[in-house]
Amino acid sequence: MKKIFIFLTICLSVSLNAHNLIINVMDNSDNTITVRGEFSTGEDAAGAMIRLESLVSGDILFKQRLPAESELIVNIPKEPYQIVLDGGPGHTIIKDGIAPLEGFAEELKEKVTDVNTKLSKPENLNNEWDFLTIFFFTLCLILFALSIYFSNKNTNKILEKIKEV
């Protein structure tokens, strides 16, 4: 029982230290934006990579790591873009870019709309579960039920042995 308690305590302490990456983008009203990265625990995201990626061509328009103060001022690109904050594996956030004061060029907006329309309509998407998915899902449920059954059975045996002593 003591080992189980220690195990649960360790699991809880690990999950309590979990954190998420947060990106704040502010328009400075002078064709620049301020990008700030931090974790939900309040820690700064210094060293995380900031990228501005074109939504038209996919090119990287700007790339730089966050300095110690976790804040960068960046010029707004003239084409539609997205801001990517990459804090390492499992810590990547993508946010739509803010338009410059004069707005994006109309022909670039149309290209982005065309690309997004094509991407949002997959041609051969089947929403039904295939056989393997159903099989493995059922297998997982059966194994989960068996593990609960045998765990309960072994716990009862241990309790009876303890009562005998």
Side-chain angles (χ1 to χ4, degrees):
M1 185 70 175
K2 188 175 181 181
K3 289 181 181 180
I4 293 173
F5 179 72
I6 292 171
F7 176 73
L8 288 175
T9 305
I10 291 171
C11 288
L12 284 175
S13 66
V14 168
S15 67
L16 290 177
N17 289 330
H19 56 272
N20 295 321
L21 192 59
I22 300 170
I23 184 172
N24 295 315
V25 181
M26 294 157 280
D27 188 355
N28 298 330
S29 298
D30 61 353
N31 276 341
T32 64
I33 54 173
T34 300
V35 181
R36 178 164 177 70
E38 60 186 353
F39 289 98
S40 59
T41 57
E43 296 176 58
D44 287 339
M49 182 65 72
I50 294 284
R51 288 190 316 268
L52 273 57
E53 297 176 351
S54 170
L55 294 175
V56 177
S57 63
D59 294 338
I60 295 175
L61 306 172
F62 177 84
K63 182 178 179 179
Q64 185 175 335
R65 293 202 176 273
L66 284 174
E69 53 276 350
S70 292
E71 191 171 286
L72 274 177
I73 296 177
V74 181
N75 291 326
I76 297 176
K78 302 296 181 202
E79 60 185 275
Y81 65 100
Q82 65 185 9
I83 304 163
V84 179
L85 176 60
D86 187 356
H91 293 90
T92 302
I93 294 186
I94 300 173
K95 193 167 188 175
D96 289 337
I98 297 172
L101 294 175
E102 61 277 0
F104 297 123
E106 281 301 316
E107 64 272 3
L108 295 176
K109 284 184 189 176
E110 291 173 10
K111 285 183 182 179
V112 171
T113 304
D114 291 343
V115 169
N116 287 340
T117 303
K118 289 177 184 175
L119 291 176
S120 65
K121 295 181 181 178
E123 296 170 7
N124 295 325
L125 180 63
N126 185 358
N127 289 331
E128 296 179 19
W129 287 15
D130 62 352
F131 175 75
L132 281 177
T133 305
I134 294 171
F135 173 77
F136 284 116
F137 184 75
T138 306
L139 181 64
C140 288
L141 285 176
I142 291 170
L143 291 174
F144 180 69
L146 286 173
S147 67
I148 291 175
Y149 171 77
F150 285 113
S151 176
N152 186 30
K153 187 175 177 181
N154 289 335
T155 302
N156 289 336
K157 283 182 181 180
I158 292 171
L159 290 174
E160 286 179 17
K161 293 267 185 188
I162 292 173
K163 286 179 184 178
E164 289 175 7
V165 174

